[in-house]
Amino acid sequence: MSFSATILTLYPDMFPGPLGMSLSGDALARGVWSLEAKNIRDHGLGRHRTVDDTPAGGGPGMVIRCDVLASAIDANVAADDPRPKLLMSPRGKPLTQGYVRELAAGPGVVIVCGRFEGVDERVIEARGLQEVSIGDYVLSGGEMAAMIVLDSCVRLLPGVMGKEASGTEESFESNRLEYPHYTRPREWEGRPIPDVLLSGNHAMIERWRHEESERITRERRPDLLER
Ligand code: SAH
């Protein structure tokens, strides 16, 4: 069974967007994963298919109605659907490589994309939505955040990345940032490739990479070393 993604959004035309290209796009075309984007507005109320209303208690902006979002979820996701239902939200559990691995190992995801001020709290509780954040900043909508969740999952699916190994050596996989990469030409604008990488001594190369990885992590992200 392939990884299947259902997106609930007010802007289904944004999908697949960048996910239709390169690695994720090739995998989509090959059926390694599947994607459907459903319009929440199809479940909107009245002639104008209204999906939002003003916040109870006052304040700026609009809130996506719980009844409308619940209808959209119920119409598109069977009650016994095994996939986790995620809600993109700056209040959510931070997306990490570990979390991505968990999601990628499962049957897929249902992702609700918020807009405006967000969604009525009651639908989060009633439909068991798991809030996920892609970082400590605020986007105007959940669609690009959903794409980030999908892109990071899809590249881990079996057969998506050319070389299986390249998934496990990268940044974050061992709470370390990656060592620097070089390729041809051997010297460029007076900058040579470090000699050790051209030495052919694999033990030395591995040690150098390990040390660089530690150094860069210490300099840039000391918080990772404490995890
Ligand atoms: N009023 C909200 C922000 C709403 S932003 C607050 O202060 O928390 C509109 C929508 O963009 C959100 O509902 C969510 O779906 C999406 N979004 C914004 N920032 C995000 C982030 N860092 N991670 C994931 N989704 C985000």
Side-chain angles (χ1 to χ4, degrees):
M1 252 256 317
S2 72
F3 186 90
S4 104
T6 298
I7 311 296
L8 300 175
T9 168
L10 288 168
Y11 300 96
D13 292 348
M14 284 192 184
F15 294 87
L19 297 172
M21 290 171 193
S22 190
L23 214 71
S24 55
D26 296 341
L28 190 58
R30 284 189 287 123
V32 175
W33 69 294
S34 64
L35 173 67
E36 53 172 13
K38 298 293 188 172
N39 198 338
I40 296 169
R41 196 170 296 284
D42 292 347
H43 304 272
L45 305 174
R47 198 159 56 85
H48 298 293
R49 300 234 165 264
T50 301
V51 297
D52 57 345
D53 210 328
T54 53
M62 299 294 274
V63 176
I64 297 182
R65 290 177 59 119
C66 49
D67 49 357
V68 171
L69 183 53
S71 301
I73 294 171
D74 297 346
N76 290 294
V77 186
D80 62 350
D81 194 309
R83 296 173 296 170
K85 291 189 280 292
L86 312 181
L87 169 67
M88 301 320 302
S89 159
R91 302 189 315 190
K93 170 168 156 172
L95 187 71
T96 59
Q97 191 63 16
Y99 193 8
V100 168
R101 275 202 178 275
E102 275 175 40
L103 293 172
V109 285
V110 174
I111 306 184
V112 177
C113 302
R115 278 272 156 183
F116 323 123
E117 291 307 316
V119 311
D120 187 310
E121 189 73 18
R122 292 170 291 178
V123 68
I124 302 177
E125 299 163 6
R127 293 298 179 272
L129 304 182
Q130 304 172 22
E131 293 179 72
V132 180
S133 168
I134 63 157
D136 292 342
Y137 40 79
V138 181
L139 306 169
S140 56
E143 288 76 13
M144 286 193 249
M147 288 177 197
I148 283 166
V149 171
L150 291 175
D151 184 84
S152 56
C153 286
V154 166
R155 62 191 289 284
L156 295 181
L157 299 176
V160 172
M161 266 186 305
K163 197 160 144 269
E164 287 296 327
S166 95
T168 53
E169 279 185 16
E170 284 170 323
S171 291
F172 304 116
E173 287 295 350
S174 48
N175 281 330
R176 295 292 183 277
L177 301 177
E178 207 178 40
Y179 50 80
H181 295 291
Y182 299 87
T183 185
R184 280 179 273 272
R186 193 172 177 137
E187 185 168 324
W188 175 74
E189 295 191 350
R191 298 162 190 272
I193 292 176
D195 283 335
V196 56
L197 297 178
L198 305 170
S199 68
N201 183 331
H202 292 290
M204 263 172 60
I205 291 171
E206 210 171 303
R207 182 154 16 99
W208 181 85
R209 286 180 168 167
H210 180 78
E211 285 165 6
E212 284 295 288
S213 181
E214 293 284 324
R215 178 184 64 77
I216 291 168
T217 308
R218 217 178 311 115
E219 281 173 17
R220 301 183 187 180
R221 292 291 305 278
D223 58 299
L224 289 175
L225 297 168
E226 272 127 50
R227 284 188 199 166

